[in-house]
Amino acid sequence: MDYLVTIIVTFFAGMGAGLGTGFAGMSAAAVITPMLVTFLDIEPYTAVGIALASDVLASAVSAYTYRKNKNLDVKNGLLMMGIILIFTVVGSYLSSMVPSHTMGGFSTFVTLILGIKFIIKPVMTTKAEMEAVSKTRKIVGSVLCGIFIGFICGFVGAGGGMMMLLILTSVLGYELKTAVGTSVFIMAFTALTGAISHFSLGDSPDIWVMVLCVVFTFVWAQIAAKFANKAKPETLNRVVGVVLVVLGIVILGFEYFIK
């Protein structure tokens, strides 16, 4: 494998994944997986594992940045996280038994639609409005949505972060920054669980490729998270929307035109 090509591919993969993670809590797998498969000929199931491994550090650091700026709801995210972790393992196991081409299309669709949604109809919920949501609604929503999100994250290795952001803002009434912060917090643990499951059930990853993806994703996620926490709600909505739409189009190009 040409090292220069590997560095270039992983740099842009990490940049796209890091921006998506830091700005919108997006799973790194949505960007990294198609790029590794398309340009480095890495087996899809292994590529998902590498992408999930890249998600761990990037999401954890982003969550720390959001927490520092008081934009992370740990307490109400713990229940959903527990459910998601369980069903991430279930989804990962099932994905190892299906053809690789069945993975990925769903996450691209979610990314595009959600990006357009943030541009056309931004989330302007305030923290006061978020705290007014009933505990019963949060608990029931967390359990039901956690089952669905966990399965998606484990099965396709992507889409979990996007679905979580959509549910936290639209179903559970979170304001955008807290939704992203809570999403990346949960994604750090689901990504770790998913990565371990993938590597346990599949082949060992290319360490060189994995290290590069982890480092580049970490750097860009940190840059995006710092910017996002300082931005006004209106600006953040627009930036998140544009980032998601661009990434969605790029991923679509990889899947249907470049491969």
Side-chain angles (χ1 to χ4, degrees), residues 148-172:
F148 179 66
I149 293 170
F151 180 79
I152 292 299
C153 182
F155 190 78
V156 304
M162 290 296 89
M163 290 304 300
M164 202 180 310
L165 183 62
L166 177 62
I167 287 168
L168 289 175
T169 54
S170 301
V171 179
L172 300 183

Side-chain angles (χ1 to χ4, degrees), residues 80-123:
M80 182 182 287
M81 183 177 71
I83 301 296
I84 289 174
L85 286 174
I86 295 172
F87 281 86
T88 295
V89 176
V90 174
S92 181
Y93 174 73
L94 292 176
S95 71
S96 68
M97 300 187 293
V98 300
S100 297
H101 64 76
T102 63
M103 303 191 294
F106 175 78
S107 62
T108 305
F109 174 78
V110 171
T111 300
L112 277 171
I113 296 302
L114 197 54
I116 295 172
K117 185 262 185 190
F118 279 119
I119 294 174
I120 297 176
K121 189 178 180 181
V123 176

Side-chain angles (χ1 to χ4, degrees), residues 56-245:
V56 178
L57 185 59
S59 293
V61 172
S62 295
Y64 174 74
T65 301
Y66 278 91
R67 176 67 174 176
K68 216 167 45 167
N69 289 274
K70 299 180 179 179
N71 291 317
L72 171 59
D73 185 359
V74 177
K75 183 178 179 180
N76 290 319
L78 288 175
L79 176 60
M80 182 182 287
M81 183 177 71
I83 301 296
I84 289 174
L85 286 174
I86 295 172
F87 281 86
T88 295
V89 176
V90 174
S92 181
Y93 174 73
L94 292 176
S95 71
S96 68
M97 300 187 293
V98 300
S100 297
H101 64 76
T102 63
M103 303 191 294
F106 175 78
S107 62
T108 305
F109 174 78
V110 171
T111 300
L112 277 171
I113 296 302
L114 197 54
I116 295 172
K117 185 262 185 190
F118 279 119
I119 294 174
I120 297 176
K121 189 178 180 181
V123 176
M124 300 304 294
T125 306
T126 64
K127 287 192 175 181
E129 293 172 331
M130 179 187 77
E131 292 171 358
V133 176
S134 69
K135 291 184 178 180
T136 301
R137 177 182 170 186
K138 287 183 178 179
I139 292 174
V140 174
S142 295
V143 172
L144 295 179
C145 297
I147 293 173
F148 179 66
I149 293 170
F151 180 79
I152 292 299
C153 182
F155 190 78
V156 304
M162 290 296 89
M163 290 304 300
M164 202 180 310
L165 183 62
L166 177 62
I167 287 168
L168 289 175
T169 54
S170 301
V171 179
L172 300 183
Y174 278 59
E175 60 94 25
L176 185 55
K177 288 183 182 180
T178 306
V180 176
T182 304
S183 177
V184 291
F185 170 73
I186 296 174
M187 284 302 294
F189 293 93
T190 59
L192 177 61
T193 304
I196 292 174
S197 299
H198 270 69
F199 294 147
S200 298
L201 297 167
D203 298 326
S204 298
D206 184 311
I207 300 300
W208 170 244
V209 172
M210 185 169 72
V211 169
L212 287 174
C213 285
V214 169
V215 171
F216 290 137
T217 304
F218 163 77
V219 171
W220 285 101
Q222 179 72 331
I223 293 172
K226 286 184 177 180
F227 175 84
N229 278 278
K230 294 179 180 179
K232 294 180 179 179
E234 298 90 341
T235 302
L236 182 57
N237 271 274
R238 299 291 186 262
V239 172
V240 169
V242 170
V243 168
L244 293 181
V245 169

